[in-house]
């Protein structure tokens, strides 16, 4: 039986998220519905519902489920929102967001990851997600403005150009800090007057690196 149909494991998964403070019902439902075992390496399927990050191709990671749920909750996505994600990785965070907003553009610098995430998301019917091979530090102008921006790789600082892509009233969440070590999750709200920054919790993400990766 695949892990997704294993009730005790999935019940524990939900329980852990609730215990750790996730209370948004729509977020909990999305976490319940998206089969995480299809986003991890086949050898790790048995661990898909444990609350830990796991290695994926290109030396990258799929984030810990609690961190995915927490960032999603803090992002406060709404049904009519257009969301930008930087750091597609496996596509798991994008699949969660696809259930909570109208459109997701997710950008990845490794072709291998972008291609496999695109295939996976298509198979799962996430028709409102577009996966783009590109550099999150250089989002094409034609991509327009976003109601929400989520960065899932560590940035030493949030680029001003990225903040400028937020609609008024928009929210950006990003892990900010040194590439190796601990970062702080920062939530930025675009107000009439400027940008309000709030520090949330400590996290550990793989680094955001400039440019499209030269290796596959
Ligand atoms: N959100 C992913 C996990 C992200 S891991 C998931 O749900 O599985 C971080 C990802 O960010 C890696 O795949 C890495 O290659 C990518 N990344 C790093 N710097 C980037 C950049 N400048 N532009 C786009 N993607 C980047």
């Amino acid at each position: 039986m695949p892990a997704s149909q294993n009730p005790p494991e999935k019940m524990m998964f939900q329980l852990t998220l609730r215990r750790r403070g996730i209370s948004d019902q729509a977020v909990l439902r999305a976490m319940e519905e998206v089969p995480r075992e299809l986003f991890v390496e086949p050898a790790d399927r048995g661990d898909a519902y444990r609350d830990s990050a796991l290695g994926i191709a290109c030396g990258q990671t799929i984030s810990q489920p609690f961190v995915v749920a927490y960032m999603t909750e803090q992002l406060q996505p709404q049904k009519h929102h257009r969301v930008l994600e930087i750091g597609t990785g496996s596509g798991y965070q994008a699949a969660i967001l696809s259930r909570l907003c109208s459109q997701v553009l997710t950008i990845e610098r490794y072709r291998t990851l972008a291609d496999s995430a695109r295939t996976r998301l298509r198979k799962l019917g996430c028709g409102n997600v577009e996966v783009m091979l590109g550099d999150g530090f250089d989002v094409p102008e034609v991509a327009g403005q976003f109601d929400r921006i989520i960065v899932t790789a560590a940035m030493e600082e949030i680029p001003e150009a990225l903040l400028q892509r937020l609609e008024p009233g928009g929210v950006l969440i990003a892990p900010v800090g040194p590439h190796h070590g601990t970062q702080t999750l920062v939530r930025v709200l675009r107000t009439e007057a400027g940008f309000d920054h709030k520090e949330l919790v400590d996290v550990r993400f793989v680094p955001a690196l400039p440019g499209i990766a030269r290796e596959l």
Side-chain angles (χ1 to χ4, degrees):
M1 186 158 51
S4 65
Q5 286 162 30
N6 185 334
E9 223 175 13
K10 286 213 101 172
M11 263 164 60
M12 276 308 293
F13 184 70
Q14 286 285 312
L15 209 60
T16 304
L17 295 176
R18 284 168 194 268
R19 252 194 223 132
R20 295 202 58 182
I22 306 300
S23 60
D24 186 305
Q25 290 304 315
V27 173
L28 287 166
R29 201 174 318 119
M31 296 291 296
E32 181 161 20
E33 288 172 358
V34 175
R36 190 171 185 260
E37 80 272 13
L38 301 184
F39 291 82
V40 303
E41 294 288 301
D44 287 332
R45 289 211 173 132
D47 290 331
Y49 293 96
R50 287 179 47 183
D51 194 23
S52 53
L54 292 167
I56 56 172
C58 307
Q60 306 303 312
T61 53
I62 174 172
S63 311
Q64 178 191 349
F66 168 71
V67 172
V68 172
Y70 180 76
M71 287 176 82
T72 308
E73 192 170 69
Q74 291 295 322
L75 200 63
Q76 297 182 313
Q78 292 174 31
K79 274 290 174 201
H80 63 280
H81 280 166
R82 210 169 159 250
V83 179
L84 169 67
E85 179 191 26
I86 294 174
T88 310
S90 67
Y92 181 68
Q93 173 75 73
I96 298 291
L97 289 168
S98 80
R99 299 182 166 262
L100 302 167
C101 60
S102 78
Q103 235 187 313
V104 182
L105 171 65
T106 179
I107 304 183
E108 171 57 52
R109 66 188 290 275
Y110 279 99
R111 185 182 294 277
T112 305
L113 291 174
D115 287 349
S116 54
R118 193 178 296 115
T119 304
R120 202 175 267 144
L121 290 162
R122 195 186 304 128
K123 275 193 195 145
L124 286 170
C126 300
N128 59 346
V129 181
E130 185 191 342
V131 180
M132 180 192 282
L133 174 68
D135 177 6
F137 287 108
D138 188 17
V139 181
E141 276 308 318
V142 292
Q145 298 292 109
F146 299 89
D147 301 295
R148 299 288 186 263
I149 299 176
I150 180 169
V151 182
T152 61
M155 289 186 163
E156 281 163 325
E157 55 189 274
I158 305 170
E160 179 63 25
L162 201 54
L163 290 174
Q164 292 302 335
R165 304 308 281 273
L166 274 180
E167 296 280 8
V171 174
L172 173 147
I173 299 226
V176 181
H179 276 172
H180 299 286
T182 306
Q183 305 99 27
T184 304
L185 209 54
V186 176
R187 183 179 195 273
V188 184
L189 170 67
R190 182 167 202 172
T191 65
E192 297 279 303
F195 296 95
D196 287 347
H197 287 63
K198 190 179 167 205
E199 297 194 344
L200 301 171
V201 293
D202 284 352
V203 284
R204 265 170 191 269
F205 275 85
V206 294
L209 301 171
I212 292 174
R214 252 173 299 175
E215 327 85 284
L216 284 176

